[in-house]
Amino acid sequence: MSMFKKTAVAALITTAGLGIGSAQAADLITMPASSSPVEIPVADSGFDWNGFYTGVYGVVQSSPNGGVQYGAGINAGVNAQFDFFLVGAEVALHGLTGGNFDTTYGQVLGKAGVVLSDNLMLYAAAGYGIDLGAPVEEDFLAGGGVEFAVAENVSVRAQYLHGFPITGGNPKDQVTLGAHFQF
């Protein structure tokens, strides 16, 4: 092989090797650590909890007057994430059957939580609930939940709320399991 061909092959191999190394280095995001020249890699933030969502859920509610009731519902809400803190608001409506009577229950919740990992959020919730059937009952709701991101815009959630009666004197315990679409 001639000297020109050897030099060309060596230059090609060196250039290809540098190009691959540069592409890999460009993918790494780093952040300076204090005044030290050492940089710490920063991972992708994962699931984006910011913005609006809507969802469907199944619910089990237990109360002295209603007994154990089962149902399904829909909800819509909004979240705002600040670093690993999260605040949000949500409205929900579900129908209940079984127990002593059938009814519809609406609720408005505020929530605050922490993002524990790329796809896991833990939160506390409080708000207002109203039984739209007869007799009308109003509750202060308090509880919390855990939500897990399973796809780019889809999460699943488990939530527990206790209803402290404002009117009606009928405390409630409510457990929901549902799925949300974030947009």
Side-chain angles (χ1 to χ4, degrees), residues 32-38:
S34 68
S35 61
S36 169
V38 176

Side-chain angles (χ1 to χ4, degrees), residues 1-179:
M1 191 184 276
S2 72
M3 180 63 119
F4 175 76
K5 287 182 181 178
K6 289 179 186 177
T7 305
V9 169
L12 180 63
I13 291 171
T14 303
T15 304
L18 289 176
I20 291 171
S22 298
Q24 290 174 347
D27 293 339
L28 183 63
I29 299 171
T30 61
M31 176 175 92
S34 68
S35 61
S36 169
V38 176
E39 293 185 348
I40 301 169
V42 176
D44 183 19
S45 63
F47 190 79
D48 185 10
W49 297 101
N50 282 308
F52 294 95
Y53 63 89
T54 187
V56 296
Y57 59 90
V59 60
V60 176
Q61 182 169 290
S62 175
S63 67
N65 292 350
V68 177
Q69 299 171 300
Y70 305 91
I74 57 172
N75 59 6
V78 62
N79 289 325
Q81 183 177 344
F82 306 98
D83 291 326
F84 59 90
F85 295 106
L86 181 125
V87 293
E90 176 179 298
V91 295
L93 183 66
H94 52 262
L96 296 167
T97 189
N100 299 329
F101 53 86
D102 296 343
T103 190
T104 304
Y105 194 81
Q107 55 196 38
V108 178
L109 295 173
K111 60 184 183 178
V114 292
V115 177
L116 298 174
S117 70
D118 287 349
N119 55 1
L120 184 64
M121 174 186 44
L122 185 65
Y123 65 92
Y128 172 78
I130 184 168
D131 190 331
L132 301 170
V136 173
E137 296 178 351
E138 297 175 282
D139 302 301
F140 170 73
L141 302 171
V146 61
E147 195 160 348
F148 184 73
V150 295
E152 185 176 333
N153 293 332
V154 179
S155 62
V156 294
R157 171 171 88 178
Q159 177 178 271
Y160 167 79
L161 294 173
H162 180 77
F164 298 92
I166 297 171
T167 62
N170 186 29
K172 297 168 180 65
D173 289 301
Q174 180 188 105
V175 175
T176 60
L177 297 173

